[in-house]
């Protein structure tokens, strides 16, 4: 292993500050890209898709759980995946392991769901053993094929206007592995983080950062971080 040079504290701090310039440029570029994403056109979802969940057969609209936005991750868990029936795909399992508490997404009027081709009893069994708590449904039709994830994995974002559902974004392959955190998910959505500093179209819901943040078990309680 060829290691970097050994520096004095002054040299190390100078190198850090030099790199910080590029890191800030990347942050601003990422924010600008998310602003463009919020201006993506919406694609109407015309088909009536069905899923099997703990409460029985449900629709795509049901997966919103009454919220405005929905993020769906197609996890590769089915009979021809390595590890079946004890495990989902190792990559998709790592994705599931890094999902933040969904209460924070829910507070931004956004739901998260995982979907797979495995039967629901297998999904429930593996979820319980692995300690995963996000909603996870079994696919009953061609949803995965229609939305670019008939093989492997991918993340789709949706928004609804009343009973009408629209696809707003999609990411797979590289880029999908960074999903899991609250901010990475919200940055994919049509409404974004919904904070006042964001460059969003006029009329989009926004509130100041910190003011809406809560401990994950305190939303709706009046408790607030600051």
């Amino acid at each position: 292993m060829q290691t970097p040079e050994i520096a004095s504290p002054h040299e190390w701090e100078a190198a850090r500050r030099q790199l910080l310039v590029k890191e800030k440029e990347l942050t601003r570029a990422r924010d600008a890209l998310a602003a463009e994403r919020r201006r993506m056109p919406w694609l109407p979802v015309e088909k009536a898709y069905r899923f099997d969940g703990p409460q029985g057969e449900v629709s795509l609209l049901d997966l919103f759980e009454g919220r405005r936005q929905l993020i769906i991750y197609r996890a590769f868990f089915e009979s021809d995946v390595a590890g079946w029936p004890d495990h989902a795909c190792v990559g998709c399992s790592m994705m599931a392991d890094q999902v933040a508490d969904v209460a924070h997404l829910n507070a931004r009027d956004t739901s998260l769901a995982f979907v797979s081709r495995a039967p629901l009893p297998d999904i429930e069994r593996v979820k319980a053993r692995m300690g995963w708590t996000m909603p996870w449904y079994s696919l009953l039709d061609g949803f995965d094929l229609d939305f670019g994830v008939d093989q492997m994995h991918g993340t789709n974002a949706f928004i609804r206007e009343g009973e009408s559902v629209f696809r707003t974004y999609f990411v797979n392959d590289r880029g999908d592995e960074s999903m899991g955190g609250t901010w990475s998910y919200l940055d994919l959505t049509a409404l974004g983080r919904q904070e006042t500093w964001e460059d969003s179209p006029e009329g989009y819901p926004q509130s100041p950062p910190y003011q809406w943040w809560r401990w994950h078990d305190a939303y709706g309680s009046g408790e607030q971080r600051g």
Side-chain angles (χ1 to χ4, degrees), residues 144-157:
D144 50 353
L145 178 63
D146 290 347
F147 289 95
V149 285
D150 57 311
Q151 294 292 324
M152 301 303 286
H153 59 85
T155 303
N156 278 280

Side-chain angles (χ1 to χ4, degrees), residues 81-92:
V81 172
W84 174 267
D86 298 321
H87 287 287
C89 150
V90 64
C92 293

Side-chain angles (χ1 to χ4, degrees), residues 191-204:
L191 300 181
R193 304 184 186 192
Q194 303 166 54
E195 294 187 338
T196 50
W197 61 269
E198 287 181 301
D199 174 13
S200 292
E202 184 177 354
Y204 273 43

